[in-house]
Amino acid sequence: MLEKIISTKSNLQILHEDNHIIVINKRVGDIVQGDKTGDKPLSEVVKEYIKDKYNKPGEVFLGVVHRLDRPTTGIVVFAKTSKALTRLNELFSNRETLKTYWAIVKNKPAKNEDKLVHYLKRNEKNNTSKAHLKEVPDSKLASLDYKIIKELNNYFALEINLHTGRHHQIRAQLQAIGSPIKGDLKYGFDRSNTDGGIHLHARKLSFIHPVSKENITLIAPTPIDILWNLC
């Protein structure tokens, strides 16, 4: 059984850090922001890291720009200054970022590559979203492109580019085409992964730096795992 490693201030997987932003490769089980579980969120771990590294007195400022689902791994951006937070929030809300995900599925999609368009309706009670082919009340348009990038032993690795950022979007849309993500019991996979995660990884992110205005492109290494290693 895989031992789940939770991020701490001493083992953070830092992909980029400067005066204004810090970008982390999130592990399975890390929660980006505090929730009802009461578990220490990644945001607090990063604050501890900054406080220690720079001997900062008092409260450390850290802005949460976006989130990843708890069982998902990969790139998470935090703002270290209020100026960076404001500008990053604008970038993400205006879809001025390029996000690429990798997913591993067991059932091969009907097409090697395709654009998926659905209407997602969120169910607050069980924290899921359901993908519909036609608009239904309170649904939101969701679209993505995918392509098969590797055939593995009994599995298929997909590369996914998001055009919208809906709740559980990739998970719900892949379930809708009959290709749920490995380990994702909530969205139709038949068994869980031993570490409680799912094979969905925020692989690549490109954006304009909120202060320096330079182009930033970051790639997050996949977790150490037999299937990911084959990718």
Side-chain angles (χ1 to χ4, degrees), residues 55-70:
N55 294 316
K56 283 192 176 271
E59 184 71 17
V60 170
F61 178 87
L62 192 78
V64 177
V65 179
H66 65 122
R67 302 181 206 184
L68 285 182
D69 300 339
R70 188 164 195 169

Side-chain angles (χ1 to χ4, degrees), residues 105-140:
V105 300
K106 190 167 189 175
N107 302 330
K108 186 178 183 179
K111 297 179 181 177
N112 286 341
E113 55 184 279
D114 201 7
K115 180 176 184 178
L116 302 183
V117 179
H118 292 95
Y119 291 88
L120 291 197
K121 181 165 183 172
R122 185 168 180 175
N123 182 332
E124 298 281 357
K125 283 184 180 173
N126 62 11
N127 192 34
T128 59
S129 289
K130 183 169 178 56
H132 300 267
L133 287 174
K134 294 182 178 176
E135 194 169 1
V136 298
D138 302 318
S139 62
K140 292 180 177 178

Side-chain angles (χ1 to χ4, degrees), residues 41-160:
L42 191 57
S43 55
E44 288 302 317
V45 175
V46 176
K47 279 185 183 180
E48 288 177 357
Y49 158 81
I50 293 169
K51 192 176 179 71
D52 266 23
K53 182 176 180 181
Y54 302 102
N55 294 316
K56 283 192 176 271
E59 184 71 17
V60 170
F61 178 87
L62 192 78
V64 177
V65 179
H66 65 122
R67 302 181 206 184
L68 285 182
D69 300 339
R70 188 164 195 169
T72 305
T73 56
I75 296 172
V76 181
V77 181
F78 295 100
K80 292 168 70 177
T81 62
S82 54
K83 179 160 73 169
L85 179 61
T86 302
R87 292 179 182 174
L88 284 169
N89 282 339
E90 287 173 3
L91 282 179
F92 276 78
S93 64
N94 295 336
R95 311 297 303 162
E96 293 174 38
T97 58
L98 289 174
K99 295 179 186 174
T100 302
Y101 287 77
W102 281 3
I104 293 177
V105 300
K106 190 167 189 175
N107 302 330
K108 186 178 183 179
K111 297 179 181 177
N112 286 341
E113 55 184 279
D114 201 7
K115 180 176 184 178
L116 302 183
V117 179
H118 292 95
Y119 291 88
L120 291 197
K121 181 165 183 172
R122 185 168 180 175
N123 182 332
E124 298 281 357
K125 283 184 180 173
N126 62 11
N127 192 34
T128 59
S129 289
K130 183 169 178 56
H132 300 267
L133 287 174
K134 294 182 178 176
E135 194 169 1
V136 298
D138 302 318
S139 62
K140 292 180 177 178
L141 180 70
S143 77
L144 59 79
D145 291 321
Y146 77 82
K147 63 180 177 184
I148 297 172
I149 53 171
K150 189 133 187 170
E151 295 199 15
L152 310 167
N153 304 330
N154 302 317
Y155 292 97
F156 299 87
L158 311 181
E159 184 168 277
I160 295 151

